[in-house]
Amino acid sequence: MAITSLAPAVIRSKQIVAEKSSRVALRLVPDLGGDKRVDQKYFVTFLSLVGALGLLMLLVINTLLAQDAFELRRLQMQATTLSDQREAIVREIARASSPEELAARAQALGMVASESPRFLTLEAAPIADARAKG
């Protein structure tokens, strides 16, 4: 038997080995059958739910921040009003305690301004004399 007579058998066996190895190689790739499509549908649904939940949470946070902004503005206006009231009261106190106002009140109560004011001087010597006499 000559080697040339075995050539068709060798060629055929090479073809069989090549077909089997390509099948094996193709089997290493995952099968993309109909059941995988169902898994993708669940995954897309899950991602959609996560996205919708994220947007909903963003809306809630934004609403809370807006409410806080309104509350902050209201408190700032209240602080401004209270500050204005405080300044008005301080001005009224300053006006009521001015020397002219105090003199007018004293005259209304019947007090008379002194024409010759007298001042008391307290020295250490007169106190010691008073103790010695007492």
Side-chain angles (χ1 to χ4, degrees), residues 43-62:
F43 182 69
V44 168
T45 304
F46 173 73
L47 285 181
S48 299
L49 287 175
V50 167
L53 184 63
L55 287 175
L56 184 65
M57 291 302 296
L58 187 63
L59 178 67
V60 168
I61 290 171
N62 198 7

PDB file of all heavy atoms in Angstrom, residues 43-62:
ATOM      1  N   PHE A  43     -33.999  41.763  33.370  1.00  0.00           N
ATOM      2  CA  PHE A  43     -32.923  42.713  33.660  1.00  0.00           C
ATOM      3  C   PHE A  43     -33.318  44.126  33.230  1.00  0.00           C
ATOM      4  O   PHE A  43     -33.109  45.094  33.956  1.00  0.00           O
ATOM      5  CB  PHE A  43     -31.633  42.273  32.967  1.00  0.00           C
ATOM      6  CG  PHE A  43     -30.464  43.156  33.250  1.00  0.00           C
ATOM      7  CD1 PHE A  43     -29.903  43.189  34.517  1.00  0.00           C
ATOM      8  CD2 PHE A  43     -29.924  43.960  32.262  1.00  0.00           C
ATOM      9  CE1 PHE A  43     -28.822  44.013  34.787  1.00  0.00           C
ATOM     10  CE2 PHE A  43     -28.846  44.773  32.529  1.00  0.00           C
ATOM     11  CZ  PHE A  43     -28.294  44.805  33.792  1.00  0.00           C
ATOM     12  N   VAL A  44     -33.906  44.254  32.047  1.00  0.00           N
ATOM     13  CA  VAL A  44     -34.350  45.572  31.572  1.00  0.00           C
ATOM     14  C   VAL A  44     -35.455  46.107  32.480  1.00  0.00           C
ATOM     15  O   VAL A  44     -35.472  47.299  32.821  1.00  0.00           O
ATOM     16  CB  VAL A  44     -34.821  45.477  30.100  1.00  0.00           C
ATOM     17  CG1 VAL A  44     -35.544  46.742  29.666  1.00  0.00           C
ATOM     18  CG2 VAL A  44     -33.639  45.191  29.190  1.00  0.00           C
ATOM     19  N   THR A  45     -36.364  45.248  32.910  1.00  0.00           N
ATOM     20  CA  THR A  45     -37.417  45.668  33.841  1.00  0.00           C
ATOM     21  C   THR A  45     -36.813  46.126  35.164  1.00  0.00           C
ATOM     22  O   THR A  45     -37.227  47.151  35.723  1.00  0.00           O
ATOM     23  CB  THR A  45     -38.401  44.503  34.091  1.00  0.00           C
ATOM     24  OG1 THR A  45     -38.915  44.057  32.837  1.00  0.00           O
ATOM     25  CG2 THR A  45     -39.545  44.941  34.988  1.00  0.00           C
ATOM     26  N   PHE A  46     -35.836  45.385  35.653  1.00  0.00           N
ATOM     27  CA  PHE A  46     -35.166  45.758  36.895  1.00  0.00           C
ATOM     28  C   PHE A  46     -34.477  47.110  36.767  1.00  0.00           C
ATOM     29  O   PHE A  46     -34.610  47.977  37.645  1.00  0.00           O
ATOM     30  CB  PHE A  46     -34.146  44.680  37.285  1.00  0.00           C
ATOM     31  CG  PHE A  46     -33.294  45.047  38.453  1.00  0.00           C
ATOM     32  CD1 PHE A  46     -33.809  45.068  39.737  1.00  0.00           C
ATOM     33  CD2 PHE A  46     -31.958  45.410  38.278  1.00  0.00           C
ATOM     34  CE1 PHE A  46     -33.024  45.425  40.823  1.00  0.00           C
ATOM     35  CE2 PHE A  46     -31.172  45.771  39.343  1.00  0.00           C
ATOM     36  CZ  PHE A  46     -31.706  45.769  40.621  1.00  0.00           C
ATOM     37  N   LEU A  47     -33.759  47.330  35.666  1.00  0.00           N
ATOM     38  CA  LEU A  47     -33.089  48.612  35.456  1.00  0.00           C
ATOM     39  C   LEU A  47     -34.097  49.755  35.336  1.00  0.00           C
ATOM     40  O   LEU A  47     -33.864  50.860  35.843  1.00  0.00           O
ATOM     41  CB  LEU A  47     -32.210  48.560  34.206  1.00  0.00           C
ATOM     42  CG  LEU A  47     -30.892  47.795  34.333  1.00  0.00           C
ATOM     43  CD1 LEU A  47     -30.129  47.861  33.023  1.00  0.00           C
ATOM     44  CD2 LEU A  47     -30.057  48.333  35.462  1.00  0.00           C
ATOM     45  N   SER A  48     -35.217  49.483  34.677  1.00  0.00           N
ATOM     46  CA  SER A  48     -36.255  50.520  34.565  1.00  0.00           C
ATOM     47  C   SER A  48     -36.825  50.874  35.932  1.00  0.00           C
ATOM     48  O   SER A  48     -37.047  52.056  36.237  1.00  0.00           O
ATOM     49  CB  SER A  48     -37.380  50.043  33.649  1.00  0.00           C
ATOM     50  OG  SER A  48     -36.891  49.795  32.356  1.00  0.00           O
ATOM     51  N   LEU A  49     -37.056  49.880  36.760  1.00  0.00           N
ATOM     52  CA  LEU A  49     -37.573  50.135  38.113  1.00  0.00           C
ATOM     53  C   LEU A  49     -36.564  50.911  38.955  1.00  0.00           C
ATOM     54  O   LEU A  49     -36.941  51.832  39.688  1.00  0.00           O
ATOM     55  CB  LEU A  49     -37.945  48.822  38.797  1.00  0.00           C
ATOM     56  CG  LEU A  49     -39.217  48.148  38.292  1.00  0.00           C
ATOM     57  CD1 LEU A  49     -39.400  46.795  38.963  1.00  0.00           C
ATOM     58  CD2 LEU A  49     -40.420  49.027  38.510  1.00  0.00           C
ATOM     59  N   VAL A  50     -35.298  50.537  38.849  1.00  0.00           N
ATOM     60  CA  VAL A  50     -34.258  51.257  39.601  1.00  0.00           C
ATOM     61  C   VAL A  50     -34.180  52.704  39.131  1.00  0.00           C
ATOM     62  O   VAL A  50     -34.081  53.638  39.941  1.00  0.00           O
ATOM     63  CB  VAL A  50     -32.890  50.542  39.469  1.00  0.00           C
ATOM     64  CG1 VAL A  50     -31.766  51.416  39.970  1.00  0.00           C
ATOM     65  CG2 VAL A  50     -32.916  49.230  40.229  1.00  0.00           C
ATOM     66  N   GLY A  51     -34.251  52.918  37.821  1.00  0.00           N
ATOM     67  CA  GLY A  51     -34.224  54.283  37.290  1.00  0.00           C
ATOM     68  C   GLY A  51     -35.426  55.087  37.739  1.00  0.00           C
ATOM     69  O   GLY A  51     -35.308  56.257  38.131  1.00  0.00           O
ATOM     70  N   ALA A  52     -36.617  54.482  37.683  1.00  0.00           N
ATOM     71  CA  ALA A  52     -37.830  55.180  38.115  1.00  0.00           C
ATOM     72  C   ALA A  52     -37.778  55.493  39.604  1.00  0.00           C
ATOM     73  O   ALA A  52     -38.169  56.587  40.039  1.00  0.00           O
ATOM     74  CB  ALA A  52     -39.054  54.332  37.790  1.00  0.00           C
ATOM     75  N   LEU A  53     -37.279  54.555  40.396  1.00  0.00           N
ATOM     76  CA  LEU A  53     -37.153  54.788  41.835  1.00  0.00           C
ATOM     77  C   LEU A  53     -36.153  55.912  42.110  1.00  0.00           C
ATOM     78  O   LEU A  53     -36.385  56.766  42.972  1.00  0.00           O
ATOM     79  CB  LEU A  53     -36.721  53.502  42.539  1.00  0.00           C
ATOM     80  CG  LEU A  53     -36.641  53.557  44.062  1.00  0.00           C
ATOM     81  CD1 LEU A  53     -38.016  53.829  44.649  1.00  0.00           C
ATOM     82  CD2 LEU A  53     -36.086  52.267  44.610  1.00  0.00           C
ATOM     83  N   GLY A  54     -35.060  55.947  41.367  1.00  0.00           N
ATOM     84  CA  GLY A  54     -34.071  57.022  41.524  1.00  0.00           C
ATOM     85  C   GLY A  54     -34.666  58.378  41.190  1.00  0.00           C
ATOM     86  O   GLY A  54     -34.453  59.364  41.906  1.00  0.00           O
ATOM     87  N   LEU A  55     -35.430  58.447  40.100  1.00  0.00           N
ATOM     88  CA  LEU A  55     -36.081  59.711  39.736  1.00  0.00           C
ATOM     89  C   LEU A  55     -37.106  60.133  40.778  1.00  0.00           C
ATOM     90  O   LEU A  55     -37.232  61.320  41.100  1.00  0.00           O
ATOM     91  CB  LEU A  55     -36.739  59.585  38.360  1.00  0.00           C
ATOM     92  CG  LEU A  55     -35.782  59.552  37.175  1.00  0.00           C
ATOM     93  CD1 LEU A  55     -36.544  59.296  35.879  1.00  0.00           C
ATOM     94  CD2 LEU A  55     -35.013  60.850  37.080  1.00  0.00           C
ATOM     95  N   LEU A  56     -37.836  59.164  41.321  1.00  0.00           N
ATOM     96  CA  LEU A  56     -38.817  59.472  42.362  1.00  0.00           C
ATOM     97  C   LEU A  56     -38.125  60.011  43.613  1.00  0.00           C
ATOM     98  O   LEU A  56     -38.580  60.998  44.209  1.00  0.00           O
ATOM     99  CB  LEU A  56     -39.642  58.236  42.691  1.00  0.00           C
ATOM    100  CG  LEU A  56     -40.763  58.416  43.695  1.00  0.00           C
ATOM    101  CD1 LEU A  56     -41.815  59.368  43.121  1.00  0.00           C
ATOM    102  CD2 LEU A  56     -41.391  57.090  44.033  1.00  0.00           C
ATOM    103  N   MET A  57     -37.019  59.407  44.004  1.00  0.00           N
ATOM    104  CA  MET A  57     -36.280  59.880  45.171  1.00  0.00           C
ATOM    105  C   MET A  57     -35.710  61.272  44.911  1.00  0.00           C
ATOM    106  O   MET A  57     -35.697  62.126  45.803  1.00  0.00           O
ATOM    107  CB  MET A  57     -35.150  58.903  45.533  1.00  0.00           C
ATOM    108  CG  MET A  57     -35.648  57.585  46.073  1.00  0.00           C
ATOM    109  SD  MET A  57     -36.679  57.759  47.544  1.00  0.00           S
ATOM    110  CE  MET A  57     -35.517  58.427  48.683  1.00  0.00           C
ATOM    111  N   LEU A  58     -35.246  61.525  43.708  1.00  0.00           N
ATOM    112  CA  LEU A  58     -34.740  62.847  43.344  1.00  0.00           C
ATOM    113  C   LEU A  58     -35.848  63.889  43.442  1.00  0.00           C
ATOM    114  O   LEU A  58     -35.623  65.001  43.936  1.00  0.00           O
ATOM    115  CB  LEU A  58     -34.154  62.803  41.937  1.00  0.00           C
ATOM    116  CG  LEU A  58     -33.430  64.046  41.445  1.00  0.00           C
ATOM    117  CD1 LEU A  58     -32.207  64.316  42.317  1.00  0.00           C
ATOM    118  CD2 LEU A  58     -33.016  63.870  40.003  1.00  0.00           C
ATOM    119  N   LEU A  59     -37.039  63.528  43.014  1.00  0.00           N
ATOM    120  CA  LEU A  59     -38.181  64.432  43.112  1.00  0.00           C
ATOM    121  C   LEU A  59     -38.525  64.730  44.569  1.00  0.00           C
ATOM    122  O   LEU A  59     -38.785  65.887  44.934  1.00  0.00           O
ATOM    123  CB  LEU A  59     -39.395  63.830  42.387  1.00  0.00           C
ATOM    124  CG  LEU A  59     -40.681  64.634  42.444  1.00  0.00           C
ATOM    125  CD1 LEU A  59     -40.511  65.928  41.660  1.00  0.00           C
ATOM    126  CD2 LEU A  59     -41.831  63.821  41.887  1.00  0.00           C
ATOM    127  N   VAL A  60     -38.497  63.711  45.418  1.00  0.00           N
ATOM    128  CA  VAL A  60     -38.798  63.903  46.844  1.00  0.00           C
ATOM    129  C   VAL A  60     -37.751  64.803  47.486  1.00  0.00           C
ATOM    130  O   VAL A  60     -38.089  65.738  48.233  1.00  0.00           O
ATOM    131  CB  VAL A  60     -38.884  62.531  47.564  1.00  0.00           C
ATOM    132  CG1 VAL A  60     -38.889  62.698  49.066  1.00  0.00           C
ATOM    133  CG2 VAL A  60     -40.118  61.775  47.101  1.00  0.00           C
ATOM    134  N   ILE A  61     -36.487  64.565  47.204  1.00  0.00           N
ATOM    135  CA  ILE A  61     -35.419  65.387  47.785  1.00  0.00           C
ATOM    136  C   ILE A  61     -35.538  66.827  47.308  1.00  0.00           C
ATOM    137  O   ILE A  61     -35.403  67.769  48.096  1.00  0.00           O
ATOM    138  CB  ILE A  61     -34.037  64.790  47.431  1.00  0.00           C
ATOM    139  CG1 ILE A  61     -33.826  63.483  48.189  1.00  0.00           C
ATOM    140  CG2 ILE A  61     -32.917  65.768  47.735  1.00  0.00           C
ATOM    141  CD1 ILE A  61     -32.609  62.711  47.763  1.00  0.00           C
ATOM    142  N   ASN A  62     -35.828  67.016  46.030  1.00  0.00           N
ATOM    143  CA  ASN A  62     -35.976  68.357  45.487  1.00  0.00           C
ATOM    144  C   ASN A  62     -37.160  69.081  46.134  1.00  0.00           C
ATOM    145  O   ASN A  62     -37.084  70.270  46.444  1.00  0.00           O
ATOM    146  CB  ASN A  62     -36.148  68.287  43.970  1.00  0.00           C
ATOM    147  CG  ASN A  62     -35.880  69.604  43.311  1.00  0.00           C
ATOM    148  OD1 ASN A  62     -35.451  70.551  43.948  1.00  0.00           O
ATOM    149  ND2 ASN A  62     -36.125  69.668  42.021  1.00  0.00           N
TER     150      ASN A  62
END
